[in-house]
Structures are given as structure tokens and as C-alpha cells.
Amino acid sequence: MPRPVHFEIHASDPERAVTFYATVFGWTFERWGSNPYWLISTGDGPGIDGGLVPRQGPAPTEDAPVNAFPLTVEVDDLDAAVRRVEQAGGQVAVPRSPIPGIGWLAYCVDTEGNIFGILEPAPEAE
């Protein structure tokens, strides 16, 4: 069955987005090719890597519905990750909530208006 193998972040200000994701998750970015495109390395082990591209068109407005596949990132400490998001200029869209038997989930908005999830595994979450 087909599985996701790559993701892309669209950014109005790519350098600002690079700084945000490097600060929040420690991801590394490498400029690739002659077009403005950055490869994203999210770390070793299970998971996928991605890319960052300049946004074509306007950024999402605050009241716009979700119109993409939100990426969810697994972290060891959800509260610490949310603090890093806010310190890096992002904001919380949906606060910490339990996903029974899975863990704690929050949705955030990056500096470019993109929504993403943060999940702390905790099977006891209710």
C-alpha cells in the first residue's frame, strides 16, 4: 500500500520558516538545486524528510479552513514543544487534548500560517 515518503512546507518567507523549524524541532535545512528549494532532514530513525519551497500566492488567513494535510510531529514533551513554538513566533491553534490510548495532541500555526500537529505519545491519555 502506498505510504507518504516526503512532505513540503510552503513559506512566504523561507528563511524565517527555516529558522522556525530549526528552533522548534532541531531540523536541518540544505539549499538544493538552482531553484529556491531546501531539503529538510528531520533526524535519524523512522519518519520522513521533506522540503521547503517559496509559497505561490497569498498566505492562509487566520480564519481560513484547513486546506492541506497537516503534518504531525512526535515529541517527548508536548508542553516544552509548544513553548518552543510560541518562543519562535508560532501560535497554538488547538490546545493540548487527549487522544485516548495514543497520547496528547496540539495543533499549532508556524510563522508562515501553516497548521501542524505535535503529538506526545502517552497510551494512558484519556
Side-chain angles (χ1 to χ4, degrees), residues 1-82:
M1 134 180 8
R3 297 190 67 199
V5 296
H6 183 80
F7 66 89
E8 282 187 343
I9 299 170
H10 292 238
S12 300
D13 183 337
E15 294 296 336
R16 179 176 60 198
V18 165
T19 299
F20 177 83
Y21 285 101
T23 299
V24 173
F25 297 123
W27 293 351
T28 59
F29 294 77
E30 180 182 339
R31 186 76 185 253
W32 183 72
S34 59
N35 292 323
Y37 194 89
W38 292 258
L39 296 175
I40 303 170
S41 176
T42 62
D44 297 328
I48 61 174
D49 293 326
L52 186 134
V53 298
R55 183 182 312 283
Q56 303 296 313
T61 60
E62 268 191 49
D63 60 347
V66 176
N67 63 358
F69 291 94
L71 173 73
T72 298
V73 179
E74 184 178 304
V75 297
D76 292 330
D77 183 337
L78 179 61
D79 295 330
V82 166

Side-chain angles (χ1 to χ4, degrees), residues 91-108:
Q91 60 188 1
V92 175
V94 177
R96 175 188 183 103
S97 58
I99 307 297
I102 304 293
W104 296 96
L105 176 69
Y107 284 100
C108 297

